[in-house]
Amino acid sequence: MKNKKGFIATSMIYSFFLVFLMLMVTILASSVSNRILVGRIKEDIRSEIDGQESFVIGSLESKTYQIGEVVNFASENWQVIQDKGNTVVLVLQRSLTKQEIISAIGQDGNTQFYGTCNTDTDCQVRACFNATSTSMGGQMYCYFFSGNANLYRIPSWKPTNTQVQNQNYGQTIVSAVVNSWFNAHQGLQRVLANNKLVEMNINDGALTTKGYVRIPMTSEVSNTTNANKWANIRPFHLLEKNNNTQTRIYNTAMQNVNSNTAAYIRPVIEVIEG
């Protein structure tokens, strides 16, 4: 009788042990399955954030584009300035925001850099530093003091170090903002890596350089009829300087202004179709 009871007790212990093992195996299998599922979800999210899926449009359809037409490219809306056949010149539909400008040049609320700004939206920036002495602006940017026409550094899109040091050139604040914004823009850097952008010859009226981003040129707004189809934010900076103390803006028409004048910034790129 005792042996029978011992056998029953041993059987129950083994039964509970087997149930326990099966339960543990089921939990482990479920855990592994969940980890695999979560991993896949993370990869999908990472892929979408990295723009490998449909969230970022990295190419333009090969077709005829109309001036002023709005296209989505590199996670931004752009307006067509010119259709060259195999490439399209685009201007950002909006202007750069104050936060984007602060991120680019590290300045906030300094009226020597800024004109009229809205906190979360568009912001007007001076082409050159609004200098009050020869120490202001230094070698970093071009600068201009309206009280003394001889106190300036010539506005330039992107002078070389030699030109800055040996001549009276200085990079415009606008150029510094646009190039920094472009370098930090993930969508644009992605399409650049995919060889979808054209390296442009950039001539500011004095110096010529190359780059993948600029601002509108005088020739692109000289036809007012065409300009009115895309020049919906005014005034905005133009690429060329008028002379050593003046730059240009567009405000219903092209205007020559002192180089410390503030206006909106609208980057321009050239995109390869297809």
Side-chain angles (χ1 to χ4, degrees), residues 139-178:
Q139 299 292 322
M140 189 173 183
Y141 300 116
C142 60
Y143 57 86
F144 175 76
F145 179 41
S146 58
N148 182 349
N150 294 321
L151 180 57
Y152 61 81
R153 290 189 69 79
I154 300 170
S156 175
W157 181 252
K158 203 171 182 181
T160 65
N161 290 334
T162 300
Q163 290 165 333
V164 169
Q165 293 169 3
N166 299 337
Q167 302 179 52
N168 208 26
Y169 289 107
Q171 184 180 20
T172 64
I173 298 171
V174 176
S175 168
V177 169
V178 169

Side-chain angles (χ1 to χ4, degrees), residues 33-198:
S33 177
N34 287 338
R35 287 172 62 88
I36 293 173
L37 181 59
V38 170
R40 287 177 179 173
I41 292 173
K42 286 182 177 179
E43 286 300 320
D44 288 343
I45 293 173
R46 187 179 296 112
S47 176
E48 289 171 356
I49 291 175
D50 288 342
Q52 297 172 3
E53 304 298 336
S54 59
F55 280 87
V56 176
I57 297 176
S59 62
L60 284 183
E61 179 185 358
S62 295
K63 68 168 194 174
T64 300
Y65 289 89
Q66 302 300 316
I67 293 176
E69 181 178 345
V70 177
V71 298
N72 186 272
F73 181 75
S75 73
E76 297 279 2
N77 287 330
W78 306 80
Q79 287 180 276
V80 175
I81 291 180
Q82 184 181 2
D83 186 342
K84 293 185 174 182
N86 294 324
T87 66
V88 185
V89 181
L90 304 175
V91 62
L92 194 64
Q93 188 181 27
R94 61 180 177 86
S95 65
L96 295 188
T97 66
K98 184 175 182 180
Q99 189 54 55
E100 288 173 324
I101 296 165
I102 292 171
S103 297
I105 60 175
Q107 294 289 334
D108 183 10
N110 189 336
T111 57
Q112 292 171 319
F113 286 86
Y114 296 99
T116 302
C117 288
N118 297 315
T119 303
D120 299 319
T121 54
D122 48 19
C123 185
Q124 293 187 20
V125 179
R126 301 182 189 281
C128 295
F129 200 84
N130 192 28
T132 55
S133 71
T134 54
S135 64
M136 303 304 288
Q139 299 292 322
M140 189 173 183
Y141 300 116
C142 60
Y143 57 86
F144 175 76
F145 179 41
S146 58
N148 182 349
N150 294 321
L151 180 57
Y152 61 81
R153 290 189 69 79
I154 300 170
S156 175
W157 181 252
K158 203 171 182 181
T160 65
N161 290 334
T162 300
Q163 290 165 333
V164 169
Q165 293 169 3
N166 299 337
Q167 302 179 52
N168 208 26
Y169 289 107
Q171 184 180 20
T172 64
I173 298 171
V174 176
S175 168
V177 169
V178 169
N179 283 289
S180 260
W181 172 82
F182 176 82
N183 291 335
H185 196 291
Q186 293 184 4
L188 289 170
Q189 291 305 304
R190 193 170 299 117
V191 296
L192 174 62
N194 290 331
N195 298 315
K196 290 297 184 180
L197 297 182
V198 176

